[in-house]
Amino acid sequence: MFGLSRWMVLGYWVSVTVHGLVQPRGPVDVVEGLTGKPALPDLYEASVLDLQDGLDAGLFTSVDLIKAYFARIDEVNLKGPELRAVIETNPSAIMQAAAMDAERKAKGKRGLLHGIPILLKDNIATVAVEGMNTTAGSFSLLKSVVPDDAGVVKRLRKAGAIILGKANLSEFAHFRGNVASGWSGRGGQGTGAYFPSADPCGSSSGSGVAASIGLVAVTLGTETDGSITCPTSQNNLAGIKPTVGLTSRAGVIPISSNQDTVGPIVRSVTDAAIVLSVIAGKDPNDNFTLAQPDVVPDYTRALKKDALAGKRIGVPRKFFLDVPNIIDETVAAAFESALETIKELGATVVDPADLPSAEEFLASNNETIVLDVDFKIELNAWFESLVENPSGVRSLADLIAFNDANPELEEPTNFTDQSELIESQATSGKDAAYFQALAFDHELGRTRGIDAALQHFRLDALVLPAPGFTTSPAAVAGYPIITVPLGFYPDNTTIQSAGPLTVYPAPGVPFGLSFLGTAFTEFNLIGFAFAYEQKTHTRLARKAFPEAIPKTQLANVIGK
Ligand SMILES: *[C@@H]1O[C@H](CO)[C@@H](O)[C@H](O)[C@H]1NC(C)=O
Ligand SMILES: *[C@@H]1O[C@H](CO)[C@@H](O)[C@H](O)[C@H]1NC(C)=O
Ligand SMILES: *[C@@H]1O[C@H](CO)[C@@H](O)[C@H](O)[C@H]1NC(C)=O
Ligand SMILES: *[C@@H]1O[C@H](CO)[C@@H](O)[C@H](O)[C@H]1NC(C)=O
Ligand SMILES: *[C@@H]1O[C@H](CO)[C@@H](O)[C@H](O)[C@H]1NC(C)=O
Ligand SMILES: CC(=O)N[C@H]1CO[C@H](CO)[C@@H](O)[C@@H]1O
């Protein structure tokens, strides 16, 4: 009945067809049972396509998947190493999964996300009647009622996906002050799975940690400057920070409409392309999305192993690589070797290909001016938009007072800093200085930054290691970044402190490689990242530390 199914193959690269393309898969870490029944995918690594195959073949249901992922979340969230990746789970998920199972049986699947559980960063809204909060990790928003699902959530539900829960994050997407990455009042200190107490990076920290050890296959994060790229990098994942305006921010607790963007944090470029194809698109509730091209491409068509052949990839060294202590020797060595791989894949590496604005960029404080003003205006609008908020907080000023009035919840020892909230509250609004700073951001990031380098050197993309300040030009420009695994800190790495409760770097901690481009070039960047990923398979070179790997598998829940 299953023919020469890919489930039967042990330890080999297996091929399947995605939209007419042959895609390498695996290695599939499963064994054919003695009964001759096809084996189940290992949830640590199972891809969206693996899960769809099993669901289509009737090996398991979406209800089974929800049960297995819930059990895995409990294993590492509550017991074990307390990674604190997930803030809450969806009490309606089993019911929704049963409906998706019934629909699949009756009518077939809607698409590749039908019946697939998805974890959302806790700043992405879901309607309260479903049973989950939307709080950005803050007690000031506990039991608040949002008016509607976020735009990206509407698209996911229409595609048949099931929201599994909400991921922990750096509170308010880390726009709060100098508190450690991965900490929120509600979720506590989240930690990475590659070393005990590892800094998970943020602010989409829980999304990254959850994807890294298979608490779910698909997560969404948000980025304003680094918040998808960095947790992708530090958790050994594939992530896309889309062009601002490709994915809707309606219903996302904001920092800045000029820089915020929603994107996938997953284990492979293929899964990232599948998810982006669903969540991208115009939304009347986010007018930035109206500027995107009329047709959302099927990004899976970009998944070609020869995508780098004949392309020109630039290395903007000045101030992003060549300043002492910006990146360490481990990352620098891995990056130089990645450039060799990119050449082997048929690309011309143009090195250096500096941003004309590099020097001014590092000296510029324009980004902070814009974010402070946007945050105050947009967060106030968020509080105003709520149907109700039991905490009584209605504004940024109220939020600061709420935190001070509830120090045991929001300002525990070593997590007291609210300096960014306070600085933002002090701004006067969208005055001439704001518009001047925004114009400088666009000039430094776009016209004298990324676009200038791309045009001058006739490049298809730029490449940089993910660590360092490498996200900021794209952040102020609103341009896309795609990150894939690059390497791991070696076993003899000296462990350093990253916060009161976290360490970085440490032995085995991962780091990533980023491809960057101009607006709406995700299709090309996905191809380049896929070619590199398929050549190197770095993610599979090292696993999380044993206690951080949950043991529950589908076999433990099927029929129970
Ligand atoms: C929000 O969190 C509270 C406290 O954990 C919980 O009682 C409630 O059910 C959650 N969901 C909603 C929609 O308030
Ligand atoms: C979106 O709408 C707001 C007002 O509702 C306006 O200030 C802003 O300029 C618009 N942005 C774009 C990109 O159209
Ligand atoms: C903003 O950028 C411009 C251009 O580099 C620079 O002259 C100006 O000093 C910057 N402003 C701030 C506040 O950093
Ligand atoms: C750590 O090990 C690597 C080999 O993995 C070696 O090249 C390096 O010199 C060592 N570093 C230290 C500080 O011992
Ligand atoms: C935490 O804060 C206390 C004082 O507020 C300080 O003495 C201590 O060093 C801090 N701990 C860490 C790990 O930063
Ligand atoms: C779903 C889940 O495990 N939530 C936990 C998140 O972390 C808080 C604080 O540690 C726990 O109280 C929740 O149970």
Side-chain angles (χ1 to χ4, degrees):
M1 170 181 177
F2 299 101
L4 258 182
S5 159
R6 65 199 70 117
W7 302 105
M8 297 186 186
V9 182
L10 172 67
Y12 289 96
W13 299 101
V14 202
S15 289
V16 295
T17 301
V18 189
H19 296 267
L21 286 169
V22 174
Q23 301 297 339
R25 291 267 298 279
V28 180
D29 204 12
V30 294
V31 196
E32 185 184 356
L34 291 174
T35 57
K37 273 197 198 156
L40 300 162
D42 181 347
L43 294 180
Y44 184 87
E45 201 62 23
S47 68
V48 169
L49 296 177
D50 291 334
L51 298 180
Q52 281 303 347
D53 286 346
L55 290 165
D56 280 342
L59 298 183
F60 50 85
T61 63
S62 290
V63 169
D64 295 327
L65 265 182
I66 301 286
K67 286 183 184 166
Y69 283 138
F70 277 176
R72 290 171 73 85
I73 289 167
D74 280 349
E75 275 187 62
V76 296
N77 220 28
L78 305 175
K79 307 167 215 157
E82 288 199 44
L83 302 179
R84 294 173 185 269
V86 179
I87 247 181
E88 54 184 77
T89 51
N90 181 0
S92 308
I94 297 271
M95 198 182 69
Q96 293 169 2
M100 283 303 132
D101 286 334
E103 186 184 309
R104 179 190 297 270
K105 230 174 177 170
K107 298 196 264 183
K109 63 175 179 287
R110 297 183 195 184
L112 290 177
L113 292 185
H114 186 123
I116 301 295
I118 296 187
L119 188 72
L120 304 173
K121 186 177 180 179
D122 186 42
N123 59 353
I124 301 175
T126 51
V127 286
V129 34
E130 187 178 30
M132 282 184 292
N133 290 278
T134 302
T135 71
S138 168
F139 281 101
S140 72
L141 286 165
L142 191 61
K143 298 190 185 177
S144 65
V145 177
V146 295
D148 204 353
D149 275 333
V152 291
V153 172
K154 289 180 187 170
R155 285 181 179 273
L156 289 173
R157 293 201 205 275
K158 204 171 154 208
I162 299 152
I163 309 305
L164 184 73
K166 295 291 180 78
N168 200 5
L169 72 170
S170 313
E171 190 174 284
F172 283 110
H174 218 159
F175 205 84
R176 150 152 184 163
N178 187 25
V179 292
S181 261
W183 178 86
S184 72
R186 284 189 66 213
Q189 179 65 62
T191 56
Y194 283 81
F195 191 83
S197 299
D199 174 8
C201 205
S203 65
S204 310
S205 48
S207 305
V209 174
S212 76
I213 50 171
L215 304 185
V216 68
V218 174
T219 76
L220 292 191
T222 66
E223 173 152 336
T224 306
D225 187 342
S227 283
I228 288 174
T229 307
C230 190
T232 295
S233 168
Q234 257 162 254
N235 294 290
N236 196 19
L237 297 163
I240 302 180
K241 178 245 170 180
T243 306
V244 172
L246 182 65
T247 52
S248 170
R249 292 84 44 79
V252 177
I253 300 176
I255 293 177
S256 162
S257 56
N258 284 299
Q259 293 188 205
D260 297 348
T261 184
V262 182
I265 302 180
V266 291
R267 290 186 288 269
S268 67
V269 178
T270 301
D271 281 357
I274 290 170
V275 175
L276 188 63
S277 301
V278 171
I279 63 171
K282 297 184 187 188
D283 180 352
N285 297 321
D286 175 1
N287 64 3
F288 278 65
T289 63
L290 305 181
Q292 69 177 265
D294 282 332
V295 178
V296 175
D298 175 353
Y299 293 105
T300 65
R301 292 186 184 276
L303 302 170
K304 296 191 174 155
K305 285 213 249 180
D306 63 355
L308 276 164
K311 302 298 178 187
R312 291 169 60 84
I313 307 295
V315 186
R317 283 193 188 265
K318 198 175 181 183
F319 279 91
F320 300 105
L321 288 169
D322 63 3
V323 174
N325 304 323
I326 288 232
I327 55 165
D328 60 32
E329 282 172 22
T330 301
V331 174
F335 178 71
E336 298 307 324
S337 133
L339 295 180
E340 294 309 310
T341 304
I342 290 169
K343 287 179 202 164
E344 281 167 35
L345 286 162
T348 301
V349 171
V350 181
D351 184 6
D354 292 327
L355 309 189
S357 64
E359 211 160 320
E360 283 171 71
F361 195 89
L362 273 252
S364 163
N365 195 37
N366 291 295
E367 182 180 10
T368 307
I369 293 172
V370 170
L371 296 186
D372 279 344
V373 171
D374 284 350
F375 182 73
K376 179 181 178 180
I377 293 171
E378 295 178 28
L379 191 71
N380 283 340
W382 180 269
F383 284 120
E384 283 300 322
S385 76
L386 295 172
V387 178
E388 57 182 81
N389 190 11
S391 74
V393 171
R394 297 295 300 270
S395 66
L396 174 56
D398 289 352
L399 169 63
I400 295 164
F402 175 90
N403 290 348
D404 286 340
N406 296 280
E408 72 291 354
L409 298 178
E410 287 293 345
E411 298 172 3
T413 313
N414 299 105
F415 295 92
T416 55
D417 194 345
Q418 300 203 71
S419 54
E420 273 175 303
L421 301 185
I422 292 162
E423 188 182 298
S424 181
Q425 176 58 21
T427 61
S428 49
K430 294 195 176 180
D431 55 12
Y434 167 87
F435 287 108
Q436 177 65 263
L438 184 60
F440 277 133
D441 273 352
H442 291 168
E443 190 180 317
L444 297 179
R446 297 174 185 172
T447 43
R448 288 202 289 127
I450 292 170
D451 288 334
L454 292 174
Q455 281 156 21
H456 181 75
F457 298 101
R458 290 175 291 112
L459 304 174
D460 295 286
L462 300 170
V463 67
L464 280 168
F469 299 117
T470 60
T471 57
S472 293
V476 301
Y479 286 176
I481 307 176
I482 303 197
T483 304
V484 288
L486 171 60
F488 305 84
Y489 279 93
D491 289 333
N492 59 4
T493 298
T494 305
I495 301 167
Q496 291 174 45
S497 167
L501 304 170
T502 49
V503 298
Y504 178 89
V509 166
F511 51 86
L513 180 73
S514 292
F515 292 90
L516 303 84
T518 191
F520 304 115
T521 53
E522 282 81 359
F523 191 90
N524 295 341
L525 298 178
I526 285 170
F528 304 155
F530 179 77
Y532 180 83
E533 173 200 57
Q534 294 303 311
K535 174 84 176 167
T536 53
H537 290 294
T538 303
R539 173 166 164 86
L540 301 169
R542 195 154 179 157
K543 278 189 129 180
F545 66 94
E547 297 79 9
I549 300 177
K551 291 172 190 60
T552 306
Q553 292 288 353
L554 281 161
N556 303 112
V557 302
I558 290 173
K560 303 228 165 86

